[in-house]
Amino acid sequence: MRFLMLGLLFCCLPSWALVPPYYGKSNKDYRWAAEAEVGLSSTRGNSEVESYNSRLKVGLDTDRTHQEATFTSNYSRDGQTTSAERYKLELQSDGKFWPNYYVFLRGSQLFDRFGSYQSETTVASGLGTTLFSRHYTSMKFEIGPGYRLQKVPEGSLESDNREAILRTVLKYERRIHERTRFNAGIEMETGSENSIGQLDASFTNQLWGDLALKLGFYYRYTKVVDPDKANFDTQSSLNLLYTF
């Protein structure tokens, strides 16, 4: 299944790159951007370890709106035993109503086979603003209420968690060099029963053309988990990134 998904990802890239959805309008009306990244590793010999992670991000920007969709996956197997399997889909729509201000509607779906919660569905809406935007540096802030559903694995003695949350996000981007940039995002989802914090940071260096090398770090903290589970998950990655 994982190799099929990876193959479909690469097979679809040419069609996305060649047919942007302008729908009869000029490129000035629709600004389309997308990027895909993948990292693979395989070890054979005394031990057999196989892992991969991938990410696809698609954005469509106009004078009044911004649409964005992101899909990420992480899989790892040691011999015949799967040790990690995680997929996440995020969708967000922004409506620009004032210079440097926008309203957003966001939804996400997370599947984590080995987490305390097998799936997590979150919806949120609120207000976002660009705190500052200069030639090389920008920072955005978002805040708003939402709702989260966390479903436990089948057979678990715990019950599903449903609650209202407050979501706050800080997004930072710095272009260090013409070919190098740094991105960082901090996200908090605070609820009365459970709270989740995430840090997603990366360095991206352009190699040639639309191909780049990306060094990433991901940290996620969940306040309430099963006794046999850790409160935090971390992931470090070195991926090839293709922008189109």
Side-chain angles (χ1 to χ4, degrees):
M1 179 65 180
R2 58 190 183 282
F3 295 109
L4 176 59
M5 293 177 60
L6 191 60
L8 289 175
L9 174 63
F10 281 102
C11 290
C12 293
L13 288 182
S15 62
W16 289 330
L18 295 175
V19 191
Y22 294 133
Y23 302 110
K25 295 190 176 183
S26 66
N27 291 10
K28 294 181 180 179
D29 296 323
Y30 282 83
R31 294 174 290 276
W32 167 270
E35 58 183 34
E37 62 182 83
V38 62
L40 302 168
S41 67
S42 179
T43 302
R44 295 290 185 269
N46 294 322
S47 61
E48 296 185 5
V49 180
E50 177 184 293
S51 64
Y52 84 87
N53 65 86
S54 62
R55 177 176 174 268
L56 174 65
K57 180 179 179 181
V58 181
L60 182 61
D61 190 70
T62 70
D63 292 335
R64 294 188 176 183
T65 64
H66 179 78
Q67 320 294 334
E68 191 170 283
T70 306
F71 175 78
T72 57
S73 67
N74 179 40
Y75 177 88
S76 183
R77 184 176 68 178
D78 186 354
Q80 300 299 319
T81 304
T82 301
S83 56
E85 187 174 358
R86 187 174 183 269
Y87 309 98
K88 187 173 186 180
L89 175 65
E90 301 171 276
L91 304 172
Q92 181 162 330
S93 178
D94 301 337
K96 309 171 188 177
F97 68 94
W98 195 261
N100 297 328
Y101 288 90
Y102 58 92
V103 292
F104 71 87
L105 177 63
R106 181 182 184 277
S108 67
Q109 178 66 54
L110 170 67
F111 172 80
D112 189 351
R113 180 178 172 185
F114 298 96
S116 290
Y117 301 97
Q118 186 171 346
S119 69
E120 181 179 291
T121 305
T122 305
V123 292
S125 63
L127 178 68
T129 180
T130 301
L131 299 177
F132 60 85
S133 180
R134 301 169 186 170
H135 186 59
Y136 296 108
T137 308
S138 66
M139 180 177 287
K140 293 183 177 182
F141 176 73
E142 296 177 357
I143 186 170
Y147 180 82
R148 182 176 60 215
L149 167 61
Q150 295 174 303
K151 302 189 70 173
V152 298
E154 295 183 5
S156 174
L157 299 178
E158 302 296 328
S159 58
D160 297 343
N161 180 33
R162 298 174 172 87
E163 63 176 333
I165 60 171
L166 177 66
R167 179 178 178 269
T168 55
V169 178
L170 191 64
K171 302 176 183 179
Y172 175 81
E173 179 173 332
R174 168 70 177 177
R175 186 166 292 277
I176 302 173
H177 183 265
E178 181 181 358
R179 294 176 173 270
T180 307
R181 75 174 188 267
F182 171 74
N183 292 82
I186 300 175
E187 179 177 333
M188 289 292 300
E189 293 180 357
T190 306
S192 59
E193 299 294 331
N194 203 354
S195 296
I196 298 173
Q198 295 181 158
L199 169 64
D200 193 351
S202 65
F203 279 97
T204 304
N205 186 70
Q206 185 179 0
L207 298 176
W208 62 84
D210 296 325
L211 192 64
L213 192 65
K214 179 179 177 182
L215 175 63
F217 175 77
Y218 174 82
Y219 178 88
R220 174 185 168 99
Y221 176 83
T222 304
K223 183 178 179 181
V224 180
V225 297
D226 291 341
D228 60 335
K229 302 290 185 179
N231 293 90
F232 63 91
D233 289 298
T234 63
Q235 179 184 349
S236 301
S237 60
L238 183 62
N239 292 354
L240 282 176
L241 173 67
Y242 177 67
T243 306
F244 50 96

